[in-house]
Amino acid sequence: MSGPPYVIRGSVSLPEAELMWRFSRSSGPGGQHVNTSDSQVELRFDLAATAALPPVWKERALERLANRLVGGVITVRASEHRSQWRNRETAAVRLVSLLAEATAPPPRARRKTKIPRGINERRLREKKQRAQTKRGRTGRDWS
């Protein structure tokens, strides 16, 4: 996924203007380079105030991501790569997949299936037959 149109699902995408980026120094590999470059990326998106998502999706996302939100804002961090650009991509992809998952419609309710009487009766008959067979093996003195 590259470039600004971060598509969540269908025609809904995250507007670049509503994304807040912050960069800081990252820990990890990189040697002396790490001390001078701001490669860690923090991406913030104001979920509560956005108009980019349909109201139903927004409501669903606010409910499902309630424990991750701070004042209606969702934050994603990325620092696994040495380059800021790759960390930006990673953070954006993470945010998009998080929102896609949070706005997905709930799964269909499972419908109970009725087991036909004939099948159940056959199963019970076979169980009885098996028990009879096993019972016939015990209590005999073969010597």
Side-chain angles (χ1 to χ4, degrees), residues 4-8 12-21 43-45 50-53 95 99:
Y6 300 114
V7 179
I8 295 173
V12 180
S13 60
L14 284 178
E16 186 67 42
E18 288 187 28
L19 299 177
M20 296 167 278
W21 299 92
L43 174 56
R44 301 176 68 187
F45 178 67
T50 188
L53 299 176
L95 180 66
L99 287 173

Side-chain angles (χ1 to χ4, degrees), residues 34-138:
V34 140
N35 305 327
T36 57
S37 63
D38 292 343
S39 60
Q40 178 174 281
V41 174
E42 187 179 281
L43 174 56
R44 301 176 68 187
F45 178 67
D46 196 343
L47 188 57
T50 188
L53 299 176
V56 180
W57 286 23
K58 189 169 155 181
E59 204 174 292
R60 214 180 274 155
L62 284 168
E63 191 181 308
R64 289 182 184 167
L65 298 172
N67 59 341
R68 281 199 65 164
L69 297 174
V70 177
V73 177
I74 188 153
T75 307
V76 175
R77 261 198 203 93
S79 63
E80 36 294 350
H81 303 292
R82 285 172 62 170
S83 94
Q84 188 191 98
W85 182 81
R86 284 180 70 193
N87 281 330
R88 279 180 72 123
E89 287 296 298
T90 305
V93 166
R94 252 187 231 156
L95 180 66
V96 167
S97 64
L98 197 68
L99 287 173
E101 203 176 297
T103 58
R108 272 204 173 138
R110 185 186 172 278
R111 278 182 34 206
K112 282 186 179 176
T113 53
K114 183 100 171 73
I115 298 167
R117 191 202 279 159
I119 288 175
N120 207 26
E121 283 175 359
R122 186 180 71 207
R123 182 181 64 87
L124 293 172
R125 215 177 19 254
E126 285 170 0
K127 272 176 67 124
K128 267 200 182 95
Q129 183 60 52
R130 186 93 183 120
Q132 197 68 33
T133 306
K134 286 186 171 189
R135 211 175 293 124
R137 293 178 187 158
T138 61

